[in-house]
Structures are given as C-alpha cells and as structure tokens.
Amino acid sequence: MPAPETVQWHKLRYKSASELVADQRVLVQAGSFDYVEGQLKIRNGRRVAELEAVSYRGASLDGLEFEDADTRITSYWDFVNRLAVGEPLLREAGLWDSPHPWCNLLVPDHAVEEVLQHLECEGPELYSDFGLVLAYPLRSELIRAVELPEGEVVFLVAALRYARGDDPTAVNAMQEANDVLTELALRVGGTLYLAPL
C-alpha cells in the first residue's frame, strides 16, 4: 500500500487531561482518524494538554470539545519526520546523549484519567523543557504482540523524561517517579509495555 501524498494534521488544545481523553475516545471509536496522540507537557511554565489527530483522507472535527485548534495540510513525509527537528535542540541542551528514564505502560480505559492526573501532579523538575507524557488510545482487537489490560480500548501511556548526565540526583528522582507510576498502573489493571528505561 503506497503512503499518502498529504495528510490533514490537527493539533487540538484542551483545558484538562480529562477533556483530552474524552475526545480521544470519540476519535478511536469513530475510526475516522489514522493517528491519535495525546500529549501532556509543560512549556514556558504552563501545563499543556494537546491532541494530535491525523487523517490521510480528511476527517471532521465535529462533536469534539477542544479549546483551540491548529490545522494544516502537509506532506506525509513532513508528518512522519516531524520529530527530526528535536534532535539538534536536545543536542544543544546537552540532553541527547544523557539518560532518558522513560516509562511505557498499557492502561485500561477506565483508569487512564487517574493515571494522567497522577502525572499532571508530578513536579516540572521531572520533565525538563523537553519531557512530556504521551497517551495513545488503542483498539485492543488490533493489537496482538503484547499483553493488554482488559477492555475494548486501552491507552499506551509513556512518561518521557530527560535528565542531564551530570545530575545523578535528577536521574534517581525520575526513576523513582517511574516506579511509583508503574505501581499505580499495575494496581488499576495496567500492564508494562516496556520495562522502565
């Protein structure tokens, strides 16, 4: 199957993680978008909840409850290569070759808000200017390679943290935060996607 030439790429902003998750559920159930990713991050001292929704054929945002939107048509290559601009920024900040204590979990739909609220309460020092939390809704019927929590929809939740190599205290704090997050996810019926990195 050839890749599409262009994609419709929406970046939708929300007041809260709960509102973001509600719209992710709508999109994954409708099946009208080809890529759905939630992000929680701290930028310029502000907490941001953002949804990236991409369609290869064009799809409507009707019925969604976002606060603000940025929509564009871009080449498929520009979309799939969008993270390349981050490498020079991470290198300049001294974070490219430093520890990345990441934590990747599969969380049942009924518990994703609890897990994301826990992550929203973590201090900004656990993320630096580049870290973030990703939340991908997945239809369980389409996943075969890993052990999944119960439910038609599960969320891949990833805490992506970056620590300076010369700051072992920060690395330890991030690893401890990952341990707490993993315990929470397992307690609510989640599973490990990957062991914490």
Side-chain angles (χ1 to χ4, degrees):
M1 172 189 239
E5 288 186 25
T6 61
V7 301
Q8 184 183 54
W9 184 4
H10 304 280
K11 289 186 178 182
L12 312 174
R13 283 164 289 288
Y14 295 83
K15 293 177 187 171
S16 70
S18 295
E19 291 175 355
L20 170 96
V21 167
D23 275 1
Q24 285 183 295
R25 288 184 178 121
V26 169
L27 293 179
V28 78
Q29 292 297 341
S32 54
F33 282 83
D34 299 288
Y35 180 82
V36 178
E37 174 194 89
Q39 299 180 5
L40 302 178
K41 50 195 172 185
I42 300 170
R43 297 297 181 262
N44 300 319
R46 288 186 51 240
R47 293 193 179 268
V48 178
E50 187 173 89
L51 170 62
E52 286 191 8
V54 175
S55 173
Y56 304 154
R57 302 165 304 283
S60 171
L61 299 175
D62 290 346
L64 301 182
E65 300 292 330
F66 53 90
E67 190 175 49
D68 182 20
D70 175 27
T71 298
R72 61 184 163 147
I73 305 296
T74 190
S75 74
Y76 179 76
W77 172 250
D78 285 346
F79 169 68
V80 298
N81 195 44
R82 69 196 179 284
L83 300 180
V85 298
E87 180 183 344
L89 297 173
L90 289 168
R91 285 188 183 282
E92 185 178 316
L95 295 172
W96 183 256
D97 294 317
S98 67
H100 300 101
W102 292 2
C103 186
N104 299 276
L105 303 161
L106 293 159
V107 177
D109 181 48
H110 70 82
V112 70
E113 284 102 335
E114 180 180 352
V115 171
L116 293 179
Q117 286 170 0
H118 166 82
L119 287 163
E120 281 190 310
C121 290
E122 289 184 334
E125 70 279 359
L126 294 174
Y127 290 95
S128 76
D129 291 334
F130 298 97
L132 71 158
V133 174
L134 302 178
Y136 296 93
L138 307 169
R139 290 178 32 213
S140 298
E141 66 199 37
L142 302 176
I143 310 296
R144 301 272 183 265
V146 296
E147 179 186 349
L148 295 176
E150 294 293 322
E152 291 180 24
V153 174
V154 301
F155 280 77
L156 171 59
V157 175
L160 307 182
R161 309 173 199 271
Y162 297 86
R164 297 192 66 83
D166 59 357
D167 189 353
T169 302
V171 174
N172 289 337
M174 291 175 182
Q175 289 173 326
E176 289 172 9
N178 287 347
D179 291 343
V180 171
L181 177 60
T182 300
E183 288 175 20
L184 170 62
L186 295 176
R187 190 178 76 244
V188 297
T191 60
L192 293 176
Y193 174 66
L194 292 172
L197 302 174

